[in-house]
Amino acid sequence: MATDQLLLKEFNKLPASLQQEVLDFVGYLSSKYKTKRSVPKRKAGSMKGLVSYISDDFNAPLEDFKDYM
């Protein structure tokens, strides 16, 4: 038996109050799924120009980690 048919069969066995609870839960899951999918994709290069200054010694080793190097 197909999953959708099995779900419908089990759903129809429930009393009306529980059927409404199932529908509410399905609505919750649908909205949760839509929220995750609606996050826009990040575009490469969108932060370009944000950092206007980096010190000359940016890549120099830090004194705090001298003992570990």
Side-chain angles (χ1 to χ4, degrees):
M1 187 177 288
T3 304
D4 55 343
Q5 291 174 343
L6 180 61
L7 283 171
L8 187 58
K9 181 180 175 185
E10 293 299 319
F11 180 80
N12 286 328
K13 288 181 186 178
L14 295 172
S17 60
L18 289 179
Q19 286 180 354
Q20 185 57 51
E21 196 168 330
V22 169
L23 291 173
D24 292 343
F25 184 66
V26 168
Y28 163 75
L29 290 177
S30 294
S31 66
K32 182 178 176 182
Y33 179 70
K34 287 179 185 175
T35 301
K36 284 189 173 186
R37 292 201 48 145
S38 66
V39 175
K41 296 266 185 178
R42 288 183 273 169
K43 184 178 176 183
S46 62
M47 300 286 285
K48 184 177 179 179
L50 183 68
V51 177
S52 60
Y53 172 77
I54 296 178
S55 67
D56 293 332
D57 65 343
F58 179 78
N59 286 325
L62 297 173
E63 288 293 322
D64 295 341
F65 295 110
K66 187 177 182 181
D67 295 338
Y68 303 102
M69 298 179 133

